Amino acid sequence: MATPYEPPRPGLEFLARAEVTLDEALDLGGTPHGRRRVVPITGGRVDGPRLSADVLPGGADWQILQTGGWVRVEARYTAWTDDGSLVSIVSRGVRHGPPEVMTALLAGQCPDPSTYRFRTAITFETAEDSPEHAWLNHVVAVSSALRRPDAVVLDVYAVC
C-alpha cells in the first residue's frame, strides 16, 4: 500500500571528538577471516558539547586486514564521564585507501587523512537510570577518523 510520506532525510549533530590512545599492535597472523591484529587501548579523552569523558585502559581494537590492504575495525572500550557514569562504546568500520597509504599507516606513519577513508558506526551503552547519559542508549552515531602512531582521533556525530 502506497503512503504519501517519505522517509525523513537524516542529518548529523556533532557529539564529541575522541582521542583514543593505543599500545603496539599484537599481530596474530593469518586466520580464516584474514590477518588478525589486536590493538590495546591505553586511555584517552572524549570531549564535546554533550559528552565529556576519560577513556579507560583495557579496551582494544580487533582488526582484520583484508586482501587488498583495507582494514575492518571493531573497537570496544569504556569511558568514565566527568559526572561519574560509565559508558560502553563499540565502534565498527573500515579503513581503506591506496596500497602505499595503507602500508604507511601499518608502518606507524601519519599520511594525510584525506588520502584514505576511515569511518565507523558507533553504539553506546550506559545505565538507563543515568539522568545525564541514558539518551546515548538510543543514539545511532557515525565517525570520521584518522590514525596516528599512538592514537585514533574520531569526530563523532549523532545521526538525527
Side-chain angles (χ1 to χ4, degrees):
M1 173 177 219
T3 177
Y5 303 111
E6 296 288 328
R9 178 176 290 236
L12 298 176
E13 174 193 354
F14 179 72
L15 288 182
R17 172 166 284 180
E19 183 170 327
V20 180
T21 57
L22 308 170
D23 205 345
E24 294 291 319
L26 307 171
D27 194 333
L28 279 68
T31 75
H33 303 287
R35 182 174 155 203
R36 171 70 72 179
R37 291 171 19 125
V38 179
V39 184
I41 292 172
T42 60
R45 182 77 187 153
V46 178
D47 279 306
R50 295 185 66 196
L51 181 62
S52 296
D54 290 317
V55 175
L56 300 177
D61 180 5
W62 287 267
Q63 302 178 347
I64 298 178
L65 281 63
Q66 301 290 332
T67 305
W70 66 279
V71 181
R72 183 175 308 279
V73 298
E74 181 175 339
R76 293 177 174 265
Y77 50 100
T78 304
W80 186 267
T81 66
D82 290 353
D83 61 1
S85 295
L86 287 172
V87 179
S88 173
I89 302 170
V90 178
S91 180
R92 292 182 179 101
V94 296
R95 193 169 66 217
H96 182 271
E100 64 276 7
V101 173
M102 299 307 291
T103 299
L105 283 166
L106 288 175
Q109 299 171 16
C110 293
D112 182 336
S114 70
T115 63
Y116 63 98
R117 183 177 302 255
F118 187 1
R119 306 289 188 269
T120 69
I122 299 175
T123 56
F124 302 96
E125 184 178 1
T126 192
E128 278 291 331
D129 63 358
S130 169
E132 296 297 321
H133 298 94
W135 61 272
L136 286 168
N137 292 317
H138 312 285
V139 168
V140 173
V142 294
S143 81
S144 180
L146 65 88
R147 179 71 158 90
R148 295 194 329 230
D150 63 341
V152 170
V153 178
L154 307 101
D155 279 348
V156 181
Y157 299 85
V159 179
C160 43

